[in-house]
Amino acid sequence: MTVPVSPESATTFDALGLAPLILDAIAAAGYSEPTPIQREAIPLVLRGRDVIGLAQTGTGKTAAFTLPLLHRLLDGPRRTRALVLTPTRELCTQVEESVRKYRSTTTLEVASVYGGVAYEPQERALREGVDIVVATPGRLLDHLEKGTAQLELLELLVLDEADRMLDMGFAPQINRVVAQIPAYRQTLLFSATMPPEVEALARKYLRNPVVVQVGRRSQAASTVTHAVYPVPQSRKTALLVDLLQHEDAQGSVLVFCRTKHRADRIAESLADAGIAAEALHGDRTQSAREKALEQFKSGAVRILVATDIAQRGLDISGITHVINYDVPQQAEDYVHRIGRTGRAEATGDAYTFMAPDEIATVRLIERVIAQEIPRVSRPGFDFGTG
Ligand code: ADP
Ligand code: MG
């Protein structure tokens, strides 16, 4: 069953059935009205339904599950009653931050559990008792094995960024986690896309779910202006420097490339050209990654060069440009990458560098997003095709 987004559905948070305490937190967050996915999903979650929420990146899916989840936990004993599974450490801390923001008016406690950092602080938080655990699957399994996390009394399970979790090969871990959760529970699944693997996951873990889908499945964020720069592979770094040094790309710029090695090299080349940049990828230590992200978020560093780990879900407000130094291999990933910019109605530009061997991939992306991306020829860089 699919619920179309109808114009007559509630347009204010007040009308959704959330408790006054939660409404206070929403007001404090400065949200004046629910986003379409929130409008549709929140009443269903409050009614106890299993929900599949599909909406493009940046449409407010986190609050769509967190707000009704908090409402449902408002009364009751302190024990782990809700679990949110997320694919990456970065997303895990980001969802935790959102939960903290929305729980600010309540006494509900939240802890995040992810790899690459010490166990003890997480164990301490879990021992002290938390209502909501936000976790990546691998580290959570460690805690379950040690007995420091317990899910026997869990009431609510959220699979966030489900497509990404499956992309990252987490299906077996998710399986092992869910095996420890009571079958009698409410399960929510949120995803930007619904490939067959996600459908299979939903069939396995959700009971009679309602599908809430906002917008077309593969729609690119509509406030983003796209452009493709034809450029030979060997001239990409020069083009990047040129764009960053000129008016075309002022502001905060997120650069995506294919490999960790390339990310480091690009960041170094930018530094050589006098442009401060940080690299974000899986080979850097957790603290180096956090520091890079912090510096980028605070504006201390204007350019972040990232591999796929930063691709989905990261909410860094104020990104003005996303530059695909390499064309994403999967057309769907293009949608996710440019979802970093143009979030919550801001505008942004998405530039894609296209070498001759990437022309076919760009054409495929254009088919998926059902939109032609204008070619922009930069004098001295174009290879004359595309
Ligand atoms: P998604 O998970 O769909 O990619 P997020 O949940 O990360 O998106 O939300 C994207 C941004 O939109 C966040 O900065 C969030 O604070 C903001 N946001 C969420 N809901 C609202 C709302 N109702 N009004 C204004 N901003 C919102
Ligand atoms: Mg999200």
Side-chain angles (χ1 to χ4, degrees):
M1 166 180 164
T2 299
V3 177
V5 175
S6 46
E8 5 10 306
S9 57
T11 53
T12 64
F13 277 111
D14 291 17
L16 296 179
L18 291 162
L21 269 182
I22 312 268
L23 292 175
D24 291 346
I26 295 168
Y31 300 166
S32 48
E33 56 178 51
T35 66
I37 189 82
Q38 292 164 1
R39 212 152 54 217
E40 299 302 322
I42 290 172
L44 292 164
V45 179
L46 289 177
R47 288 212 299 272
R49 293 296 304 262
D50 280 9
V51 171
I52 298 174
L54 300 175
Q56 67 192 61
T57 304
T59 50
K61 294 193 288 297
T62 315
F65 62 77
T66 305
L67 297 171
L69 177 154
L70 290 169
H71 175 108
R72 288 182 67 82
L73 298 185
L74 272 182
D75 303 305
R78 159 106 356 122
R79 62 181 184 220
T80 303
R81 296 169 65 202
L83 168 68
V84 182
L85 284 180
T86 63
T88 64
R89 308 158 183 192
E90 281 79 9
L91 275 169
C92 188
T93 52
Q94 199 171 285
V95 169
E96 185 205 7
E97 274 169 33
S98 297
V99 174
R100 281 196 192 286
K101 179 163 68 180
Y102 305 136
R103 67 151 282 285
S104 58
T105 53
T106 75
T107 57
L108 295 168
E109 293 293 342
V110 58
S112 64
V113 157
Y114 51 91
V117 294
Y119 281 86
E120 294 76 52
Q122 297 177 354
E123 283 171 7
R124 209 173 316 123
L126 291 169
R127 219 173 313 121
E128 280 165 10
V130 287
D131 306 273
I132 303 143
V133 173
V134 185
T136 55
R139 176 57 70 95
L140 178 63
L141 279 172
D142 291 347
H143 282 290
L144 288 169
E145 267 155 32
K146 290 177 162 207
T148 39
Q150 268 144 26
L151 304 177
E152 293 93 60
L153 297 169
L154 204 82
E155 297 162 37
L156 251 155
L157 168 67
V158 183
L159 303 167
D160 190 24
E161 311 273 350
D163 48 1
R164 185 69 177 149
M165 283 204 282
L166 295 180
D167 279 355
M168 293 178 68
F170 281 138
Q173 283 93 331
I174 296 172
N175 242 325
R176 286 169 57 206
V177 170
V178 179
Q180 305 199 28
I181 300 174
Y184 187 77
R185 60 162 192 264
Q186 184 177 7
T187 310
L188 313 175
L189 181 151
F190 284 80
S191 192
T193 61
M194 186 73 159
E197 302 78 48
V198 174
E199 273 181 57
L201 190 80
R203 259 200 307 280
K204 198 158 163 191
Y205 299 132
L206 277 67
R207 284 209 290 193
N208 190 20
V210 186
V211 181
V212 177
Q213 184 171 349
V214 175
R216 278 186 51 244
R217 276 181 193 188
S218 294
Q219 210 166 41
S222 54
T223 45
V224 176
T225 315
H226 311 239
V228 163
Y229 286 82
V231 59
Q233 204 58 258
S234 61
R235 299 276 290 149
K236 281 186 172 180
T237 301
L239 174 60
L240 180 63
V241 169
D242 191 64
L243 282 175
L244 293 176
Q245 282 175 339
H246 294 86
E247 62 290 325
D248 311 69
Q250 297 301 317
S252 290
V253 183
L254 191 50
V255 179
F256 284 112
C257 66
R258 213 156 42 215
T259 66
K260 299 163 184 175
H261 181 66
R262 275 163 97 81
D264 283 332
R265 248 191 19 224
I266 295 164
E268 278 163 26
S269 303
L270 291 178
D272 290 346
I275 302 166
E278 280 283 340
L280 185 75
H281 59 66
D283 270 0
R284 303 198 66 190
T285 62
Q286 176 63 11
S287 63
R289 284 161 63 170
E290 272 166 14
K291 185 155 162 272
L293 208 54
E294 261 334 295
Q295 290 187 312
F296 186 62
K297 278 186 176 176
S298 70
V301 166
R302 190 165 76 83
I303 321 288
L304 190 67
V305 186
T307 55
D308 283 350
I309 58 159
Q311 183 174 311
R312 285 197 196 171
L314 275 193
D315 176 32
I316 306 167
S317 46
I319 292 179
T320 48
H321 293 77
V322 165
I323 297 179
N324 290 311
Y325 185 95
D326 295 312
V327 175
Q329 300 294 295
Q330 305 288 323
E332 292 288 357
D333 285 340
Y334 180 84
V335 180
H336 292 296
R337 286 192 188 179
I338 64 167
R340 307 293 105 241
T341 182
R343 294 175 82 83
E345 308 296 308
T347 55
D349 290 304
Y351 299 156
T352 299
F353 292 180
M354 177 182 70
D357 62 339
E358 293 172 312
I359 294 172
T361 316
V362 169
R363 296 234 166 91
L364 197 65
I365 290 168
E366 291 178 314
R367 268 210 298 282
V368 170
I369 65 174
Q371 187 179 328
E372 258 181 54
I373 310 171
R375 305 295 188 268
V376 177
S377 183
R378 195 147 181 103
F381 293 100
D382 197 344
F383 54 78
T385 52

